[in-house]
Amino acid sequence: MARARDPIADLRRIAFLLERANEATYRVRAFRSAAKALAGMPAAELTERAGNGTLTELAGVGDVTARCVAESLAGEEPVYLRRLVATEGSDLDAEATALRAALRGDCHTHSDWSDGGSPIEEMALAAVELGHEYLVLTDHSPRLTVARGLTANRLRQQLDHVAKVNAALPEGFRILTGIEVDILADGSLDQDDDLLARLDVVVGSVHSGLKDERSKMTRRMLKAVANPHLDILGHVTGRMVSSRPAGVTGPGDRGHRARTRAESDFDADAVFAACAEHDTAVEINSRPERQDPPKRLIRRALEAGCRFAINTDAHAPGQLDWQRFGCERAALCGVPADRVINTWSAEQLVAWTQNRS
Ligand SMILES: [Zn+2]
Ligand SMILES: [Zn+2]
C-alpha cells in the first residue's frame, strides 16, 4: 500500500487553490471546514472512519471532502486536487515574473478580526508557503463598521495576539503589525496617533465619500499623504472593475458580482507629487475586481518619482497569491523593482516606516 499523505494538508491546499482562482466562497469553505473538523482527530480514528464511511457523520465533512481524505490516506493525490493543479495559474511574462520573485512580503492583508475570512495564523501559514518573509496584517479601522473595523482596544488586543502568533511561527518569517486606516472626510486618519505610531506599517485608504467633488477629494488625499504616520496610500482611486484578469477562471461568485464603481475624481498629479515629496508609497492593489490604480495612473506615479507597494489586499489565504496580477500591471508600466518597498526585507521596511514617522 502506498504511504498515506497528509489529508488535512491536502484539504487546505485545495481551499488555497480555489481561493486563488477566485472560486465561490461556499466551495472554499467546504474544504476549510473539513480541514478544521478533522485537524484534531487521532490518525487511527481518521483511518477507521475513512474505511467504514463514517467521516460524513461529522459536522463540516461532506461527500466530496470525505472522498479527498480517503484518497489522501490511501497515498493518492486526491482527484479534486489533481484537477485543480492541472488547470491552475497563468503564465507571466519575464518582467512580471522577475518582479514577483523580488517581492519578499505583502503589506496589505486582512484577517477574521475585521472582514477577512480566516484567522491570522492561517494567513501567516499561507504566506510562509508562498515563500514570503513577512506579512503585514492591516485590518480595518473603527469607522468602517461594515467591515468590523477594530476599535483602539481591539487593535491593542490584536497586537498582543500577533506577538504570540509570531513566537510560534517558523524562524525567518514574521507578521508585521499594521492597519488599513480610513482616510476620513477631512483627510485625518481613523485611529489614535499613539497606536498608529506603534504599528510597523500604516496603509491609508478612502472607503467613504468616494464621490466627493474633485477639489474636496484632492484636499482630503493631500492631507492624508502628508500625515507622517501614513506609509502607503491604498487602492488610490477606489474603482471597481468587473472583468477578471487573465488566468482567473471558474464560475461566478457572490464576492465577484458585477459591481463596478467609477474612479474617484482628484488631481492625480498633485497627489502623486505629494507622495513623492513625503515619501509615501502608492499601492498597486492586485485584487482582480480593483486593479487600482489603473495603468495610466501607475505610469504618472512612476514619472512623479513615487515608490510603490504591490499588495494583495487578501481577505483569505489563497488570495495572497494574487500578487502576480499586481506584478503583471506594474511590469507593463515599467515599474522597476527598486521602487517597490516590498522587495525590501522586513528590517529595511520597518526602518523606513519608522524613519518617516
Ligand atoms: Zn480598502
Ligand atoms: Zn483592504
Side-chain angles (χ1 to χ4, degrees):
M1 195 180 123
R3 221 178 127 209
R5 295 161 59 93
D6 178 351
I8 312 299
D10 279 342
L11 292 172
R12 287 185 53 231
R13 179 80 189 143
I14 291 169
F16 178 92
L17 291 171
L18 288 170
E19 275 165 355
R20 186 169 114 145
N22 213 3
E23 288 273 9
T25 309
Y26 72 87
R27 198 164 286 157
V28 178
R29 202 166 289 144
F31 289 92
R32 289 214 181 279
S33 310
K36 203 169 163 192
L38 301 175
M41 185 174 283
E45 186 186 346
L46 197 58
T47 309
E48 191 191 322
R49 282 184 174 275
N52 63 21
T54 56
L55 278 172
T56 51
E57 288 172 6
L58 302 165
V61 183
D63 287 337
V64 176
T65 47
R67 194 176 320 128
C68 290
V69 170
E71 288 165 346
S72 284
L73 289 171
E76 299 158 22
E77 182 176 35
V79 174
Y80 200 102
L81 177 57
R82 202 186 322 144
R83 285 209 193 105
L84 274 174
V85 171
T87 56
E88 78 170 323
S90 64
D91 295 325
L92 294 185
D93 65 20
E95 285 86 25
T97 303
L99 197 50
R100 174 61 190 87
L103 297 183
R104 297 163 80 166
D106 195 328
C107 299
H108 183 168
T109 67
H110 298 273
S111 73
D112 61 4
W113 282 60
S114 67
D115 62 344
S118 295
I120 296 168
E121 294 82 344
E122 293 228 6
M123 295 296 287
L125 287 175
V128 170
E129 279 166 20
L130 277 174
H132 283 334
E133 294 169 24
Y134 55 90
L135 180 80
V136 186
L137 178 64
T138 56
D139 278 316
H140 289 285
S141 64
R143 276 331 147 93
L144 203 63
T145 48
V146 287
R148 299 182 59 234
L150 272 58
T151 59
N153 266 339
R154 282 188 72 224
L155 180 53
R156 282 193 202 96
Q157 284 168 20
Q158 186 181 67
L159 296 179
D160 292 341
H161 182 69
V162 167
K164 277 186 214 127
V165 176
N166 263 336
L169 285 170
E171 206 169 321
F173 177 89
R174 69 174 161 140
I175 303 167
L176 298 180
T177 60
I179 187 171
E180 180 182 14
V181 67
D182 261 47
I183 297 175
L184 298 173
D186 65 353
S188 61
L189 303 181
D190 181 30
Q191 191 47 277
D192 299 349
D193 267 351
D194 64 317
L195 266 172
L196 293 176
R198 233 179 107 183
L199 298 169
D200 292 320
V201 178
V202 174
V203 177
S205 313
V206 173
H207 290 117
S208 60
L210 286 152
K211 288 181 179 155
D212 272 3
E213 165 283 305
R214 182 178 176 90
S215 62
K216 184 172 182 223
M217 182 62 95
T218 304
R219 269 200 312 278
R220 186 179 176 187
M221 293 175 82
L222 288 176
K223 181 165 172 202
V225 164
N227 187 318
H229 291 308
L230 191 96
D231 303 311
I232 301 169
L233 182 60
H235 49 71
V236 180
T237 77
R239 75 168 180 173
M240 291 282 182
V241 294
S242 58
S243 63
R244 288 169 185 276
V248 174
T249 53
D253 171 14
R254 270 174 299 139
H256 205 338
R257 59 194 180 273
R259 38 164 196 170
T260 60
R261 186 163 64 211
E263 297 170 26
S264 293
D265 188 16
F266 59 94
D267 181 346
D269 290 326
V271 169
F272 292 148
C275 286
E277 184 195 337
H278 297 285
D279 200 17
T280 307
V282 173
E283 175 177 83
I284 295 177
N285 189 298
S286 305
R287 293 191 68 81
E289 80 278 20
R290 285 196 183 272
Q291 304 182 38
D292 197 4
K295 291 197 287 291
R296 66 169 211 290
L297 290 185
I298 295 178
R299 291 193 189 95
R300 272 154 78 183
L302 183 64
E303 277 167 37
C306 298
R307 294 189 203 273
F308 296 92
I310 302 178
N311 294 336
T312 60
D313 197 355
H315 286 66
Q319 297 176 1
L320 288 169
D321 206 24
W322 286 355
Q323 251 176 344
R324 59 212 165 100
F325 303 139
C327 288
E328 200 161 34
R329 295 174 44 250
L332 284 172
C333 298
V335 174
D338 64 7
R339 286 272 202 103
V340 181
I341 64 170
N342 42 335
T343 61
W344 295 337
S345 68
E347 291 70 31
Q348 285 171 298
L349 180 66
V350 172
W352 176 73
T353 60
Q354 271 159 17
N355 236 342
R356 305 183 58 264
S357 52

